[in-house]
Amino acid sequence: MPEAIHAEGLVKHFGDVRAVDGVDLDVPQGTVLGLLGPNGAGKSTTVRILTTLLMPDAGHATVLGADVVKDPDAVRRSLGMAGQFAAVDEYLTGRENLQLIGRLYQLRKRDAADRAAQLLTLLDLTDAADRPAKTYSGGMRRRLDLAAAMLMKPPVMVLDEPTSGLDPTSRQVLWDIIRAMVADGTTLLLTTQYLEEADQLADAICVIDHGRVIAYGTGDELKARVGSERVELVLPEGEDLTGASLVMASEGQGDVSIDERARKLIVPVSDGSRSLGGIIRRLDELDVPFDDIALRRPTLDDVFITLTGRSADTGESAEDVRVKESVK
């Protein structure tokens, strides 16, 4: 499939800081690439280069074949962008915001009004269309900002943390809108710190840290790098861990990890549900009580912590995350 976005060896310095350090990206047309990384990893700087807002110090990038440095006007004509903060005029109504943008794109007045009405309906803003944007909730502002980015039906969209700060319901609404855009053929570059969001929406995921690409692949491919499924067992206070550890070792496919303070035992398994059932039966036969037992599959959060040593949403170190998990 032809590449909608291509970047090779992108570099950007801010003084002594190498914010982007040789980033390569490929986003085939009609797909979604999730760009993940901790705060300060270089995601937003990369986006600003791809959208012609920053000049790279080295490397090159194209959007639908147009070079971001040599032909920025062609790139901008191909792109729609919604940033981390809704870029709407709060003193204009939702309808006026969209009509103004349409006129700035040199649409005829009637065409701008028609397109604004279509998008207000599509993004469920019709009831609030003639209210000042300053009266909108955060989720409504995000949808209005997305409508503005969609106004000229760009073939490529860049969404920089579009659901940051939204409640789960508003986030789900935006996810549905994004899925509909992609189903209609739009190519999407999505930066996010919500790993579930990337897992839900992205065809491929690129993890950036310290300005470099440290992992690239589908969600399943990245999860496979962390390891297999594992069974987690929590025993009641005072219960001897030895017998349960032997059971876990006999049914598992590796060393048993024991956290004595949390009373938790963890073992990797090769056949998830069957191994879980086997452990439960053996514990029952030996009359070993337990407070909790579960089969856990690797998540993107596991991937992120393994690759970067930090949590995506909190920035906490891997050790801090492990301590918190052990307390639960």
Side-chain angles (χ1 to χ4, degrees):
M1 199 177 297
E3 295 163 352
I5 300 174
H6 172 74
E8 187 173 340
L10 289 182
V11 174
K12 184 65 183 179
H13 297 92
F14 294 106
D16 295 332
V17 177
R18 200 173 176 95
V20 177
D21 190 9
V23 166
D24 298 332
L25 292 176
D26 285 303
V27 189
Q29 292 183 25
T31 67
V32 180
L33 176 67
L35 196 59
L36 305 183
N39 287 330
K43 305 186 303 296
S44 292
T45 302
T46 300
V47 165
R48 294 176 70 189
I49 292 172
L50 294 173
T51 54
T52 75
L53 298 177
L54 277 179
M55 294 276 287
D57 295 323
H60 71 274
T62 59
V63 176
L64 293 178
D67 192 282
V68 299
V69 174
K70 297 176 182 177
D71 199 357
D73 289 341
V75 171
R76 291 169 193 149
R77 286 193 294 269
S78 302
L79 278 176
M81 180 177 179
Q84 295 182 29
F85 305 100
V88 299
D89 188 322
E90 63 179 14
Y91 293 102
L92 297 180
T93 67
R95 191 185 308 277
E96 288 169 342
N97 265 283
L98 298 182
Q99 289 179 346
L100 174 61
I101 291 170
R103 296 293 284 157
L104 290 173
Y105 275 110
Q106 301 183 344
L107 291 180
R108 292 183 301 175
K109 186 174 181 179
R110 181 173 179 176
D111 291 339
D114 289 345
R115 182 61 176 151
Q118 292 171 7
L119 289 168
L120 289 166
T121 299
L122 177 66
L123 278 77
D124 196 23
L125 290 170
T126 303
D127 290 344
D130 298 309
R131 283 168 33 197
K134 66 181 179 180
T135 68
Y136 285 16
S137 66
M140 293 167 69
R141 288 190 181 209
R142 289 283 187 180
R143 280 182 276 152
L144 183 60
D145 191 40
L146 186 56
M150 296 169 62
L151 195 131
M152 297 304 292
K153 300 181 180 179
V156 179
M157 289 280 290
V158 177
L159 303 184
D160 192 9
E161 301 194 19
T163 63
S164 177
L166 296 187
D167 62 81
T169 301
S170 297
R171 187 175 299 137
Q172 186 64 57
V173 169
L174 274 182
W175 286 1
D176 291 341
I177 293 168
I178 290 169
R179 290 188 183 101
M181 290 165 49
V182 176
D184 201 35
T186 303
T187 302
L188 185 63
L189 177 63
L190 171 72
T191 76
T192 180
Q193 289 187 0
Y194 296 112
L195 302 182
E196 182 188 4
E197 186 163 270
D199 218 2
Q200 288 279 336
L201 300 175
D203 298 292
I205 294 170
C206 174
V207 183
I208 293 181
D209 196 19
H210 300 296
R212 296 184 177 183
V213 174
I214 59 174
Y216 208 119
T218 66
D220 287 342
E221 288 170 345
L222 295 186
K223 291 172 190 176
R225 293 179 57 168
V226 175
S228 60
E229 299 173 321
R230 51 197 183 271
V231 171
E232 297 185 357
L233 172 69
V234 179
L235 297 182
E237 192 67 35
E239 181 67 27
D240 182 32
L241 303 180
T242 305
S245 177
L246 293 173
V247 170
M248 299 277 277
S250 66
E251 295 287 340
Q253 293 292 316
D255 294 335
V256 179
S257 172
I258 301 176
D259 185 334
E260 293 189 6
R261 185 176 64 176
R263 316 290 297 167
K264 180 184 286 189
L265 297 87
I266 303 172
V267 69
V269 295
S270 59
D271 190 350
S273 57
R274 182 172 296 179
S275 298
L276 175 63
I279 291 173
I280 292 173
R281 284 192 298 273
R282 290 287 307 280
L283 292 173
D284 186 55
E285 290 169 0
L286 296 174
D287 200 24
V288 176
F290 54 88
D291 286 340
D292 188 35
I293 189 168
L295 177 66
R296 186 161 183 246
R297 293 176 172 84
T299 66
L300 278 183
D301 203 27
D302 296 323
V303 173
F304 199 91
I305 291 171
T306 299
L307 293 173
T308 70
R310 288 173 278 175
S311 170
D313 53 355
T314 66
E316 294 176 310
S317 70
E319 180 60 30
D320 289 339
V321 173
R322 282 195 292 269
V323 169
K324 282 191 174 182
E325 287 296 321
S326 69
V327 172
K328 290 180 180 179

